[in-house]
Amino acid sequence: MKLELLKKKMDEAGYIYDDTMATVLAVSLQLERPLLIEGAAGVGKTEIAKVMAAALDRDLVRLQCYEGLDESKALYEWNYQKQLLAIQIGMGEDRQPGDLFSDEYLLERPLLKSIRSEKPVVLLIDEIDKADEEFEAFLLELLSEMQVTIPEFGTVKAKTLPFVVLTSNR
């Protein structure tokens, strides 16, 4: 997206910005790289992701970080109830254990949803400074490769590249 068009879209959204902010957003979009925005609470960091989602006509996928956040809460979970039900229903049938670890039983969380989306999204990773170092390392790996490995499922590569906005209050 060209800088002038981006400025027009931000104007339409009523977002107050300066030329530096518009240029940084345009460059981040063009390079397809994550954008880290730091600042005090309440200055509009999260709003940037919302405005960009509207400007790009994309869905906004938000991951709120907190102490103790781990991969399973941010990436995926298995629908254990549905798996147990399938086991009970399938008693006596010739069913492979791997069948229980398929798309049908996978619950997408924000990170997996953003890379598996057919249409590009805006991924907001809010307040990254509240996450633990282990989670930050995992996130860095995910964002650099735009793929993740789920042990029971295999490697999931991004179908589309999300526009990533990370915010920090530090």
Side-chain angles (χ1 to χ4, degrees):
M1 178 178 286
K2 299 285 184 195
L3 180 60
E4 293 309 314
L5 179 58
L6 180 60
K7 286 181 178 182
K8 181 180 178 221
K9 297 265 189 181
M10 289 193 296
D11 288 339
E12 290 170 0
Y15 188 75
I16 299 170
Y17 62 91
D18 62 7
D19 285 336
T20 302
M21 174 57 76
T23 303
V24 167
L25 288 168
V27 168
S28 183
L29 266 172
Q30 191 160 10
L31 295 177
E32 298 180 325
R33 302 306 307 158
L35 177 65
L36 173 64
I37 303 171
E38 294 182 315
V43 298
K45 299 180 301 292
T46 299
E47 194 65 24
I48 290 173
K50 292 177 183 177
V51 168
M52 290 303 291
L56 299 170
D57 191 30
R58 297 183 182 186
D59 290 336
L60 176 68
V61 177
R62 181 178 183 171
L63 174 65
Q64 180 65 47
C65 295
Y66 54 88
E67 195 173 313
L69 177 65
D70 62 9
E71 293 175 37
S72 67
K73 293 179 185 119
L75 190 60
Y76 73 97
E77 286 185 75
W78 292 109
N79 188 337
Y80 297 118
Q81 292 85 356
K82 195 171 179 182
Q83 287 172 321
L84 286 172
L85 186 59
I87 290 170
Q88 289 175 346
I89 291 172
M91 290 289 205
E93 292 181 17
D94 188 27
R95 202 175 167 97
Q96 299 295 319
D99 294 344
L100 294 173
F101 296 103
S102 63
D103 261 343
E104 182 180 355
Y105 304 102
L106 188 64
L107 299 173
E108 293 179 341
R109 297 296 179 229
L111 295 178
L112 188 59
K113 182 178 181 176
S114 69
I115 66 170
R116 286 183 46 155
S117 176
E118 295 292 334
K119 182 181 173 197
V121 300
V122 172
L123 173 62
L124 169 61
I125 302 171
D126 215 1
E127 298 182 344
I128 188 65
D129 53 303
K130 292 185 178 178
D132 300 329
E133 284 184 26
E134 284 180 5
F135 182 75
E136 286 181 13
F138 159 74
L139 192 59
L140 181 63
E141 184 178 335
L142 171 72
L143 294 177
S144 67
E145 300 295 322
M146 280 300 169
Q147 70 179 26
V148 66
T149 300
I150 299 174
E152 308 88 350
F153 193 75
T155 301
V156 179
K157 294 181 181 187
K159 292 180 180 177
T160 59
L161 291 179
F163 178 66
V164 181
V165 177
L166 298 105
T167 69
S168 173
N169 292 333
R170 281 190 195 156

